[in-house]
Amino acid sequence: MRRGFLQVIKREFERMISMPIYLMMTVVIPALIIIFFATFLNQGVPNQMPVAIVDFDNSALSRTISRNLSSGQMCSIKYKLSSYESAKVKMQQGKIYAFVVIPRNFEKDVYSGKAPQVNFYTEYAHYLGSSLIMKEINTTLTTIAIGADLKMRLMKGENSSYAMAQVNPISNDNHIIANPILNYALYLSSIMMPGIICVMAMICTIYAVGIELKNASSRRWLVYSNRNIFTALSAKLLPYTLLYTIMIILSEIVMEKIMGFPNEGSPAIMYLGAMFTIISYQAMGLLILGIIPSMRTAMSISAFYGVMSFTLTGFTYPNEAMLPAVRPFTFIYPLRQYYQLYCNVQINGLSFGETLLPFAFLMMFWLLPFLVVKRIKAVAIKLDYERD
């Protein structure tokens, strides 16, 4: 059995070297994914997004709003327009993300004790950008309102400490754990990079086994393994398991050492979790190919399955907020367990003993190939698979 295992591994390495597509799937594409996320999101959050301001007041206070917005991180005043209609046209043309309308007599109303209304318009098709702009504009207007109120109270002769307590009676002391600067790259790349690599591992598994069936070389493959399908599958997939695990570990090193992501726990636990997740996705690939022994169809289904995992994993939309009917389906994706490991280990710094449950769930995926292994062997021997 050991001799057959080594023969299959040697044969697979020879195939990998002779066919450039294997190099593309295992090294080139994962490396490009890592480079893309490490460079495209290097700023962490989008900044200097274009907005417009319609200032009907043109007073010192309204100009202060414009200057404060321009000096902030998120907004850049690209246009100073004269009407609501012109600002609306700019937004429809996609030249701005938002615009602010300051009414006439704004400064006069503020210092006379009235409550003038500043209108802010944005479109939430660009959810992240619009949310950040809205937050910055709200912060700017709140700060200016507090400053104007404080100035009025001081002019009336109130004590500065008392006046400050009146205009801002409750002060906030916010603590954002693990992502204090609200780095969008930390939120997105931490799962997207390893997740795409895992999907590539599943697709590569289907291709590596499916091409044997398609090219009618599966009988020779089984001969090398002494006709033991377990030896044939495990030895064939072992090189890909190691390569994809190395690529995920590389992505984690890039995120921590180059992109500055936090890591409160043991990297070894995350590396082990990466290997467990890769094996789980390979198991899913074998299950899909065993049910539908057509390489092209199986790869299409696996691609759809992989894309859905990013929706149901829970890092974009919380699992607890999903419909009760949908929530059980989130457990059919190994990426959810990897995300749990990431939160438990890298963010919260839990030990291996406190993270056993995600590992146990991942190991349950390893049992899936046993449901179809006989069918894969029968197809490999009889060559009665569905041709593309």
Side-chain angles (χ1 to χ4, degrees), residues 77-381:
I77 305 295
K78 293 297 184 182
Y79 302 96
K80 294 184 179 180
L81 305 173
S82 59
S83 67
Y84 165 84
E85 288 73 18
S86 58
K88 181 180 178 182
V89 169
K90 292 291 185 185
M91 181 179 286
Q92 291 172 335
Q93 292 173 344
K95 295 182 179 179
I96 57 175
Y97 286 99
F99 63 92
V100 180
V101 179
I102 302 176
R104 290 179 176 84
N105 302 319
F106 173 72
E107 184 178 53
K108 179 181 178 181
D109 290 343
V110 168
Y111 289 123
S112 63
K114 296 181 181 179
Q117 182 176 359
V118 175
N119 294 318
F120 164 54
Y121 300 87
T122 186
E123 45 85 13
Y124 257 67
H126 303 90
Y127 181 79
L128 176 65
S130 298
S131 298
L132 294 174
I133 291 173
M134 177 177 286
K135 179 181 178 181
E136 182 150 300
I137 291 177
N138 284 334
T139 301
T140 300
L141 294 177
T142 301
T143 302
I144 290 176
I146 290 175
D149 191 8
L150 181 62
K151 181 179 179 180
M152 290 174 58
R153 289 177 179 273
L154 293 177
M155 290 173 62
K156 293 178 181 179
E158 292 185 9
N159 177 273
S160 59
S161 299
Y162 175 80
M164 190 62 193
Q166 294 301 308
V167 300
N168 189 25
I170 300 176
S171 60
N172 295 325
D173 185 15
N174 298 323
H175 298 272
I176 303 176
I177 299 173
N179 193 5
I181 62 173
L182 300 179
N183 189 325
Y184 187 64
L186 192 154
Y187 149 76
L188 186 65
S189 302
S190 59
I191 297 301
M192 291 296 291
M193 266 201 284
I196 296 175
I197 294 173
C198 287
V199 174
M200 288 298 303
M202 179 172 57
I203 294 175
C204 183
T205 297
I206 294 173
Y207 180 85
V209 178
I211 199 67
E212 299 274 14
L213 307 178
K214 184 176 181 178
N215 292 341
S217 59
S218 53
R219 289 178 179 173
R220 180 177 294 273
W221 167 44
L222 286 175
V223 168
Y224 273 83
S225 66
N226 297 323
R227 298 188 179 279
N228 188 318
I229 188 62
F230 295 100
T231 300
L233 288 172
S234 57
K236 171 179 270 296
L237 297 180
L238 180 60
Y240 306 107
T241 304
L242 297 177
L243 282 172
Y244 282 113
T245 300
I246 290 172
M247 297 309 296
I248 291 188
I249 291 175
L250 179 61
S251 74
E252 293 175 352
I253 293 174
V254 167
M255 286 187 287
E256 180 183 353
K257 302 300 183 181
I258 297 178
M259 302 177 72
F261 287 17
N263 190 354
E264 301 296 332
S266 169
I269 301 177
M270 289 303 302
Y271 300 161
L272 183 64
M275 185 181 69
F276 273 52
T277 308
I278 289 295
I279 297 174
S280 299
Y281 269 96
Q282 290 178 313
M284 284 300 305
L286 291 176
L287 177 67
I288 294 171
L289 184 64
I291 296 174
I292 306 175
S294 167
M295 186 177 70
R296 183 179 301 174
T297 305
M299 290 177 68
S300 299
I301 294 174
S302 67
F304 175 76
Y305 169 85
V307 170
M308 288 299 296
S309 66
F310 295 107
T311 302
L312 297 176
T313 294
F315 83 102
T316 54
Y317 191 87
N319 295 116
E320 293 76 10
M322 295 180 182
L323 294 174
V326 176
R327 220 170 296 158
F329 292 98
T330 63
F331 289 96
I332 66 175
Y333 298 99
L335 191 60
R336 170 172 178 170
Q337 307 309 321
Y338 180 86
Y339 178 57
Q340 291 296 319
L341 283 173
Y342 171 77
C343 294
N344 292 342
V345 177
Q346 202 152 333
I347 302 300
N348 297 318
L350 299 185
S351 64
F352 179 74
E354 296 171 298
T355 58
L356 291 178
L357 189 59
F359 282 105
F361 272 111
L362 287 172
M363 292 180 67
M364 292 177 64
F365 285 93
W366 301 3
L367 303 176
L368 296 178
F370 290 94
L371 302 176
V372 294
V373 67
K374 290 184 178 180
R375 176 170 169 78
I376 293 176
K377 182 176 183 179
V379 171
I381 294 174

